[in-house]
Amino acid sequence: MWRVGQRKISRSWTALFRVKTRAVCAEATAAKSKSIVESTELKYKAGDKLHGYTVTTVSRVPELHLVAVQLVHDNTGAEHLHVAREDSNNVFAVAFPTVPMDSTGVSHILEHTTLCGSEKYPCRDPFFKMLTRSLSTYMNAWTFPDFTMYPFASQNAQDFKNLMAVYLDCAFFPKLAEMDFRQEGWRLEPEDLSNPDSQIVFKGVVYNEMKGVFSNAENLFETQLQRSILPSHTYSTCYGGDPLCIPDLTWSQLRDFHSQHYHPSAAKFYTYGDQPLENHLEAISQLALSRFHKIELNTAVPNEVRWNEPRMQEMSCPPDPMAADPDKQTTVSVAFLLGGLAAMDAAELFVLNILCSLLIKGPNSPFYKSLLTSNIGSDYAPSTGMNGHTKEAYFSIGLQGIAKDDVERVQDLIQQTIDQVIEEGFEESRIESVLHSVELSLKHETSNFGLGLVSSLMPLWNHGAEPVSSLQIGDHIAKFKESLASSSTFLQDKVRQYLKENQHKLTLVMHPKADYQAELEKKEDEKRDSVLSQLTQEQRNRLHSDAFELLDYQTKQHDASCLPSLGVADIRKEGETTELEDLLPTGVPLQFCPQPTNGITYFRGISSISSLNDDLKPYIPLFSYITSKIGAGNLDYKQMSQEIELRTGGLEVSAHVVTDHSELNAFEQGVAFSSLCLDWNMPYMFSLWQDIFNSPDFLDVERIRTLVMMLAADMANSVANSGHSYAMTYASSQLTPAAALTEKFAGLQQVAFLKRIAEQEDLQPLISTLQQIAVHVLDCTSMRPEADSHLLSLLSFYVY
C-alpha cells in the first residue's frame, strides 16, 4: 500500500506507476505524419484516374491528422474510401447493404458461410486457417441490421496483401456449399449421434448462437425495441435470426440473397493506414472488380412513416434467477425516432450526440438524477442512449430492475425530466465537460483507430451520407458554439423538437413470465414437428447418415496449401522496443515513458493487496467500482464527477491480477489506478487522485446503494452473453493461484457475492469493510497541492 512521507521501499507494499507523455519524439512523429498526410493530399485531386477508379474528393481532416480520398470504380460503381494516416496498423474492409425481409437470419448465416471456402481457396474454413498463417491484429466479420462488413487489420505489408486476397475471394466468390449451410445455419439430426433413436433436434452454429442471445432478457428487449420503433421494413425483422424462424431458410434462398446483395455496385470499400492507395486499388480491381459490371440493386431502405400518436407495447421475458430482488424485474423504456442519418447534416448529428451525453451521462445528467438516484430500478434500461446503426436514429431512455407497479411512475419521471430540461436548460459547466470529452477523444489515439473509424462511418455511408463530413469535428464544434451563442435556448429547442413534440414515440414494457421458458420450448418442439412432417420417410431415414456425413466433413483433414502464408523474409527480424526510464524520486518505483501521445498524459499505478486479509478480497471489485464514483475531499459525488469530466478522460480503478512470466504459481495482485488528461490538465488530474487517496467519502449510504445495485445488475446480465467466459474462468480456477483469484474477482463467485450484497438492507457492515480496504490501499493522508507543470517534479510531490 502507499504510505505517507516514506522515502524507502517497504517490504510490505509495492507500487508501480507508469506515465506516458508526448515530451519526447513529438516533433519527429509530427514530421513523419506530415509527410504521409501531405504527400497524399498533394498527390491526388478530383478527376484523377487510378486503376479503373475516378477520384471524386480529397479532404484534409487536420484534427485527426489524416487525408481522406474518395473514389468510384468506373465499371461497377463501387465506392472506395481511403484514409491516409501515419499508422502502421493498416485496415481493410468491404461492406454490403443487406436488408433481410424476414427473421430467418439470412444475412447473419451468409456472413458465416462466405468464410467457409471460396473459388480460389476451396479448403474448409479459410478464415480460421488464416489465423495461424497471419500476423493480423484483427480479423472478423460483422452483421448489422442493414449491412454486413468484413474487416481486418495488419501491420505487415505482405500479410495485408494475403488477407485482402482471401477476404475478397470469400466475399465475392464463396462456395456456399450445402454442407457449410447445414453447419453454420441449421439442420435436423439426432441429439446423440451414437444413438440413432435419440430425439431429433435442431442444430447449427447460428441457430445455437441466437438461442444463446435470446436467453438474455436485455437482448430480447433491445431487439424488440428496434423492431417496434421501426416496424415497416427490414428493421421489423430479427436480422441475426429468430431460432423459431431460422429453420424456414433454405440453401437456395441463401445463395439468392448473396447474388442480390454481394455485388460491387452496392459495395463500400475502405482502406486505412500508411500503405500506398494505388496498391490497394490495383489489388481490389484485379482480384474482384474486373469480373463485374454495374447493375441496379434493390437494397434501399425507405424512411419510416411517422406516427400520429405515441404507441405502447408490452412483452415478456424469462425471470432472472440472479436478480437481487425477484419482485423487481420489470423493464420500461421510452424511445423517440429522431430522423434519417443521411438526411441530417453532420453538424446536426453532432448536436444530437452532444445532447444525448448531456441527458444521460454521469451523475449530473438530468435522467441520471431523476431515474437512477431515486433507486426505483437497478440501472438504465438496455439500449438507453442514441442508436445510430439504423437508417433513422432513435433515442431511448428507461429503467430496468423496477417493480411492476412502478412503470407509470417511471414514465412520469421521464416526461417530467424532459419538461424540466426545456424549462431550465443545461449548466454551462456540463456543456464544457462534454465538449472536453470530445476534444480528448480526438487526441486520444488507440491501436485500433482505423477499425473504430470504419465502424462509426459505415452506418452513415451505407445510406448515402457523405462519410468524411462527419469526421470534421472541429467545424462541428465551432458551429455548435456559434449556435449556443446565438440562442440561449438552442439545446432546449432541440429537446422540445426531438422529444417533447415528437409523436413517433414508443413505450416498451417488459415483464418476467414464470413459464416463459416452458412456452418457448413448446414452440420449438412444434416447429421441429412441423419441419419433420414436411419430410418424406426417406429424408427422415437419412437424417442420421447426413449427420455422420457432416461430422466426417468437419473432422477430415483439408489441404490448406492453397492459402497464402508469410515467409521468414516477410517478417522483420527485430521487434519495436519501448524505452523506459526507471526512477525512484520519492521512494516509490516510477517508470517514465516518453511517447508521442498527441498532447495527452497517461497515468497508471498499482497498489499491492498481497497482505490484505483474504476475507476482504472478494470486496475488491466492488471497492474498485465505487472508489472513483463517490465523493472525495471537499467534493460530493456529483461535484467529483463534474471535475473528472472537465479535467480528465476518466479515473479508473480496477482489480489487478497478473501471473508471473516464469513462475506458474507466482503472481501479482493489487488494485490498479489509471487515468488520462490533456497535458495542461495534469496538475488537476493528480489533485483529484490526491482527494481520492486521502479522503474518499464512503459514508454516503444512498450513493453506495445505487452503485451496488448497478454493478450487481451489470454482472447478472452479463452471465447469459458471456457464459463461455465464466465457464472458462471457473474451469481454470483450479489450476493456479492467480486463476483462483480471478474467479473470485470476475467469475460466478463474484456474481453470486454481489447478489448477496445487493440484497442487504443494512449497508453499514459493507461500508465498514470498504473503509478497511481503503486504509490498506488508499493510505495517502498527507498530500499537499502544488502547481508545478514539470511532470517529474509534480509526480515527486504527489506520489508517496
Side-chain angles (χ1 to χ4, degrees):
M1 54 185 155
W2 296 331
R3 294 289 184 187
V4 179
Q6 283 198 264
R7 296 295 171 178
K8 62 181 179 179
I9 303 175
S10 168
R11 292 182 180 179
S12 64
W13 62 273
T14 60
L16 174 67
F17 294 89
R18 297 183 180 91
V19 180
K20 299 179 183 177
T21 181
R22 68 181 178 91
V24 180
C25 307
E27 292 183 4
T29 299
K32 189 178 179 183
S33 176
K34 183 178 180 181
S35 65
I36 294 288
V37 173
E38 287 197 352
S39 62
T40 302
E41 184 180 26
L42 294 172
K43 188 173 183 179
Y44 306 111
K45 62 181 184 297
D48 285 353
K49 299 289 186 178
L50 300 167
H51 299 288
Y53 290 81
T54 300
V55 177
T56 56
T57 61
V58 179
S59 308
R60 180 80 173 266
V61 185
E63 55 264 52
L64 296 178
H65 313 292
L66 61 83
V67 164
V69 183
Q70 294 175 261
L71 311 95
V72 173
H73 189 252
D74 299 332
N75 200 38
T76 65
E79 297 180 42
H80 190 115
L81 172 62
H82 177 71
V83 176
R85 196 167 186 263
E86 183 52 47
D87 190 343
S88 62
N89 195 30
N90 288 265
V91 178
F92 168 86
V94 58
F96 305 94
T98 45
V99 286
M101 296 307 295
D102 57 42
S103 296
T104 60
V106 59
S107 57
H108 187 187
I109 295 173
L110 181 59
E111 174 230 299
H112 280 239
T113 50
T114 55
L115 301 174
C116 288
S118 65
E119 182 181 289
K120 190 175 180 180
Y121 308 106
C123 63
R124 180 174 173 268
D125 290 337
F127 176 83
F128 291 102
K129 287 183 171 61
M130 285 301 294
L131 291 174
T132 59
R133 307 164 73 92
S134 166
L135 293 175
S136 67
T137 56
Y138 187 86
M139 287 176 63
N140 210 339
W142 303 337
T143 302
F144 286 84
D146 52 16
F147 69 90
T148 304
M149 182 159 64
Y150 298 84
F152 71 79
S154 179
Q155 293 181 297
N156 183 286
Q158 184 59 48
D159 188 41
F160 192 91
K161 294 177 183 177
N162 293 348
L163 289 171
M164 181 186 289
V166 174
Y167 265 62
L168 288 173
D169 208 64
C170 286
F172 288 100
F173 314 111
K175 290 193 306 179
L176 299 183
E178 185 175 12
M179 198 74 75
D180 294 323
F181 169 69
R182 289 172 54 204
Q183 170 185 275
E184 300 297 324
W186 72 275
R187 63 188 183 276
L188 281 170
E189 67 179 37
E191 186 173 17
D192 181 2
L193 292 187
S194 64
N195 179 11
D197 296 324
S198 64
Q199 185 180 27
I200 301 297
V201 296
F202 287 120
K203 295 182 182 179
V205 173
V206 171
Y207 179 84
N208 289 331
E209 177 187 340
M210 296 311 296
K211 284 199 69 173
V213 166
F214 289 133
S215 66
N216 184 301
E218 285 195 343
N219 293 333
L220 284 170
F221 189 85
E222 289 180 346
T223 299
Q224 189 58 45
L225 184 69
Q226 179 174 291
R227 297 178 71 175
S228 299
I229 194 75
L230 295 162
S232 299
H233 201 260
T234 186
Y235 305 121
S236 66
T237 71
C238 174
Y239 69 94
D242 183 338
L244 293 175
C245 300
I246 287 175
D248 295 332
L249 181 66
T250 67
W251 176 45
S252 175
Q253 289 171 337
L254 180 82
R255 296 169 68 89
D256 289 343
F257 193 86
H258 179 271
S259 65
Q260 294 162 2
H261 294 81
Y262 280 48
H263 191 280
S265 296
K268 305 284 191 295
F269 291 86
Y270 170 88
T271 49
Y272 164 92
D274 60 4
Q275 293 185 19
L277 168 61
E278 290 94 330
N279 293 357
H280 302 324
L281 299 180
E282 182 178 14
I284 293 169
S285 181
Q286 290 179 357
L287 295 172
L289 301 189
S290 60
R291 296 174 57 178
F292 292 92
H293 294 280
K294 188 173 184 177
I295 63 173
E296 294 295 327
L297 295 172
N298 184 23
T299 58
V301 178
N303 290 330
E304 189 69 34
V305 177
R306 288 301 186 269
W307 300 345
N308 295 322
E309 58 183 11
R311 299 178 184 179
M312 182 171 182
Q313 289 186 13
E314 295 196 40
M315 61 179 292
S316 58
C317 68
D320 182 3
M322 301 301 297
D325 187 343
D327 295 326
K328 298 181 71 175
Q329 297 193 53
T330 292
T331 299
V332 58
S333 188
V334 181
F336 306 84
L337 191 63
L338 303 178
L341 298 179
M344 295 182 190
D345 62 29
E348 184 72 359
L349 285 174
F350 178 82
V351 171
L352 287 175
N353 277 292
I354 293 293
L355 189 60
C356 176
S357 295
L358 289 169
L359 287 170
I360 68 172
K361 184 181 177 182
N364 294 293
S365 64
F367 281 119
Y368 193 106
K369 291 177 181 178
S370 62
L371 298 180
L372 295 183
T373 59
S374 64
N375 285 324
I376 300 172
S378 59
D379 204 346
Y380 280 134
S383 205
T384 288
M386 180 173 165
N387 185 305
H389 288 299
T390 50
K391 182 181 180 181
E392 296 184 86
Y394 57 89
F395 171 82
S396 65
I397 180 67
L399 271 182
Q400 61 179 317
I402 68 171
K404 185 177 181 179
D405 294 338
D406 283 333
V407 169
E408 188 173 340
R409 181 183 176 189
V410 173
Q411 289 177 271
D412 291 342
L413 283 173
I414 290 172
Q415 189 57 55
Q416 290 168 13
T417 304
I418 293 173
D419 291 338
Q420 182 180 357
V421 170
I422 293 173
E423 177 66 27
E424 300 176 3
F426 299 98
E427 295 179 4
E428 186 176 344
S429 59
R430 282 279 297 137
I431 299 173
E432 289 177 2
S433 67
V434 172
L435 290 178
H436 169 260
S437 68
V438 173
E439 180 184 2
L440 199 59
S441 68
L442 291 176
K443 290 181 172 290
H444 177 48
E445 300 185 7
T446 63
S447 60
N448 60 353
F449 180 87
L451 284 166
L453 202 62
V454 69
S455 66
S456 63
L457 290 178
M458 195 56 68
L460 300 165
W461 192 16
N462 182 50
H463 292 291
E466 212 297 307
V468 178
S469 62
S470 64
L471 302 179
Q472 295 164 333
I473 306 298
D475 294 342
H476 305 330
I477 293 176
K479 186 174 180 180
F480 177 74
K481 290 181 176 179
E482 289 176 5
S483 299
L484 288 177
S486 62
S487 172
S488 60
T489 61
F490 173 69
L491 289 174
Q492 292 101 304
D493 293 341
K494 295 297 180 183
V495 174
R496 181 181 292 106
Q497 173 189 349
Y498 287 108
L499 303 184
K500 175 72 172 179
E501 298 174 353
N502 191 345
Q503 293 301 302
H504 201 113
K505 169 183 170 183
L506 171 73
T507 301
L508 182 63
V509 182
M510 181 173 70
H511 300 293
K513 190 175 184 180
D515 56 354
Y516 180 92
Q517 190 61 36
E519 290 184 359
L520 180 60
E521 291 174 359
K522 181 180 178 182
K523 291 178 182 178
E524 291 173 348
D525 290 343
E526 291 173 349
K527 184 67 177 181
R528 179 200 60 209
D529 294 342
S530 174
V531 175
L532 281 171
S533 68
Q534 299 172 37
L535 301 180
T536 65
Q537 189 59 46
E538 180 183 357
Q539 289 173 322
R540 287 193 182 201
N541 294 338
R542 212 168 53 231
L543 290 178
H544 189 257
S545 61
D546 287 348
F548 274 98
E549 182 184 6
L550 177 60
L551 181 62
D552 180 66
Y553 175 73
Q554 293 170 331
T555 56
K556 180 181 178 181
Q557 288 291 334
H558 289 255
D559 183 10
S561 61
C562 60
L563 291 171
S565 61
L566 293 172
V568 174
D570 299 319
I571 304 172
R572 288 184 303 183
K573 293 182 180 180
E574 297 181 0
E576 295 183 2
T577 59
T578 300
E579 297 296 328
L580 296 174
E581 186 177 357
D582 292 308
L583 305 169
L584 203 66
T586 61
V588 175
L590 172 68
Q591 286 184 330
F592 182 67
C593 180
Q595 289 290 317
T597 56
N598 200 27
I600 295 181
T601 294
Y602 296 84
F603 160 79
R604 178 173 169 81
I606 299 170
S607 178
S608 174
I609 58 169
S610 57
S611 62
L612 185 69
N613 189 304
D614 285 344
D615 293 340
L616 298 179
K617 288 181 181 178
Y619 293 88
I620 288 295
L622 179 58
F623 172 84
S624 301
Y625 180 77
I626 285 176
T627 299
S628 62
K629 298 178 178 66
I630 56 177
N634 296 320
L635 306 176
D636 63 27
Y637 75 89
K638 294 179 182 178
Q639 294 168 327
M640 190 69 176
S641 174
Q642 183 73 4
E643 285 300 304
I644 290 173
E645 290 181 4
L646 274 172
R647 302 297 187 181
T648 78
L651 306 184
E652 300 296 330
V653 185
S654 60
H656 172 80
V657 181
V658 175
T659 304
D660 187 85
H661 58 81
S662 55
E663 284 289 332
L664 184 63
N665 291 323
F667 65 99
E668 181 182 60
Q669 54 180 303
V671 174
F673 302 84
S674 60
S675 59
L676 68 151
C677 68
L678 298 172
D679 285 347
W680 62 272
N681 270 328
M682 190 166 51
Y684 299 103
M685 179 177 75
F686 282 109
S687 178
L688 291 170
W689 278 124
Q690 179 188 20
D691 287 340
I692 290 174
F693 298 153
N694 288 346
S695 51
D697 180 13
F698 287 105
L699 299 179
D700 189 340
V701 177
E702 289 309 307
R703 176 58 176 165
I704 291 178
R705 188 184 305 279
T706 297
L707 294 173
V708 166
M709 296 298 292
M710 291 175 66
L711 181 59
D714 287 346
M715 290 289 287
N717 290 332
S718 71
V719 173
N721 279 340
S722 304
H724 61 297
S725 297
Y726 282 106
M728 289 188 292
T729 301
Y730 179 77
S732 64
S733 65
Q734 308 300 314
L735 302 179
T736 67
L741 187 59
T742 299
E743 164 65 19
K744 187 177 292 186
F745 282 172
L748 291 173
Q749 286 186 38
Q750 183 65 202
V751 176
F753 176 78
L754 286 172
K755 182 178 185 294
R756 294 194 297 271
I757 295 294
E759 290 171 347
Q760 296 176 3
E761 290 293 331
D762 182 9
L763 292 184
Q764 287 305 321
L766 171 64
I767 290 174
S768 297
T769 300
L770 295 176
Q771 289 173 324
Q772 290 181 59
I773 296 173
V775 169
H776 184 97
V777 176
L778 303 176
D779 192 0
C780 295
T781 56
S782 296
M783 286 187 175
R784 297 174 285 113
E786 178 176 284
D788 188 339
S789 60
H790 191 271
L791 178 63
L792 291 182
S793 60
L794 184 83
L795 282 176
S796 69
F797 173 76
Y798 280 113
V799 179
Y800 282 90

